[in-house]
Amino acid sequence: MIQDFEQKIKTYADVIVKVGLNLQPGQRLIIGGPEARGAALDSAPLVRQIVASAYQAGARFVEVLWGDPQVVLTRYQLAPRDSFDQVAEWMIDARKAFVDQGDALLTVRGYDPELLRGQDPNLIGQEISAILKKYRPVSERVSSNAINWCVVAGPTPAWATRVFPGLPADQALERRWEALFRLC
């Protein structure tokens, strides 16, 4: 186990909130994952610390949208082929409600980069197109820096084993955290 892990993850969360997001007292914060999905369940220790750091920095309200990569993969494996133009609009609407009020948006990246390997690329493209179309009002606010926003790494076992192949998942995850802490 990483020495002083709890303190290091707290420091990382503080840097995310105070520097990356520049969260201001009274602002709200919504935390999610990439491509309008929720934050990966495996990133929970980091997300929980970010929530604590945000409240300590004066956040009025913090909301977390969770996602399960296995559920995403199961959709590609089993869902009707003509359903990939449908997206979870409520998840996008939640983000839109926050950015419309000038609140902060945080994306925690932690999904396995090869999650959809072997899946139909046409379906992936169809889903991404549907997401981007619905997400446009949020992405326009982000790309114009009209809100406080940040994208951060949230190491997960699946991602860590891609970065450190050949290591058991727990050791790869520890190495991934160590590398992240060194960088930050």
Side-chain angles (χ1 to χ4, degrees), residues 40 69 110-116 156 158-159 161-162:
Y111 279 58
D112 179 350
E114 298 202 22
L115 177 70
L116 300 179
T156 60
W159 186 22
T161 56
R162 301 285 183 234

Side-chain angles (χ1 to χ4, degrees), residues 28-64:
R28 300 180 316 156
L29 170 62
I30 190 163
I31 302 171
E35 289 83 39
R37 293 192 174 97
L41 296 173
D42 284 334
S43 65
L46 173 61
V47 171
R48 290 180 188 124
Q49 188 57 60
I50 292 168
V51 170
S53 293
Y55 281 123
Q56 289 165 350
R60 180 171 184 79
F61 178 71
V62 180
E63 183 63 69
V64 179

Side-chain angles (χ1 to χ4, degrees), residues 33 37-43 64-72 91 111:
R37 293 192 174 97
L41 296 173
D42 284 334
S43 65
V64 179
L65 304 175
W66 293 105
D68 184 347
Q70 191 57 50
V71 170
V72 172
M91 222 181 232
Y111 279 58

Side-chain angles (χ1 to χ4, degrees), residues 119-127:
Q119 301 306 310
D120 184 342
N122 293 322
L123 295 179
I124 296 169
Q126 189 176 17
E127 182 193 30

Side-chain angles (χ1 to χ4, degrees), residues 2-149:
I2 299 172
Q3 186 175 14
D4 300 324
F5 179 79
E6 293 304 319
Q7 181 56 47
K8 288 178 180 177
I9 200 170
K10 180 186 181 322
T11 300
Y12 181 44
D14 287 346
V15 169
I16 290 167
V17 169
K18 294 175 184 173
V19 180
L21 281 171
N22 189 26
L23 190 72
Q24 299 299 302
Q27 268 190 312
R28 300 180 316 156
L29 170 62
I30 190 163
I31 302 171
E35 289 83 39
R37 293 192 174 97
L41 296 173
D42 284 334
S43 65
L46 173 61
V47 171
R48 290 180 188 124
Q49 188 57 60
I50 292 168
V51 170
S53 293
Y55 281 123
Q56 289 165 350
R60 180 171 184 79
F61 178 71
V62 180
E63 183 63 69
V64 179
L65 304 175
W66 293 105
D68 184 347
Q70 191 57 50
V71 170
V72 172
L73 179 58
T74 300
R75 178 181 187 198
Y76 279 89
Q77 293 169 334
L78 301 175
R81 305 291 90 180
D82 64 350
S83 71
F84 285 82
D85 60 342
Q86 299 190 7
V87 297
E89 291 185 39
W90 69 269
M91 222 181 232
I92 296 168
D93 291 344
R95 287 174 171 94
K96 187 176 180 315
F98 273 66
V99 301
D100 284 349
Q101 292 185 32
D103 294 312
L105 173 67
L106 177 65
T107 298
V108 179
R109 288 199 165 269
Y111 279 58
D112 179 350
E114 298 202 22
L115 177 70
L116 300 179
R117 173 177 258 177
Q119 301 306 310
D120 184 342
N122 293 322
L123 295 179
I124 296 169
Q126 189 176 17
E127 182 193 30
I128 289 172
S129 292
I131 288 170
L132 292 176
K133 181 178 178 183
K134 297 286 184 184
Y135 201 70
R136 184 169 289 125
V138 175
S139 62
E140 286 173 354
R141 300 292 301 273
V142 167
S143 65
S144 68
N145 288 319
I147 60 160
N148 303 53
W149 66 275

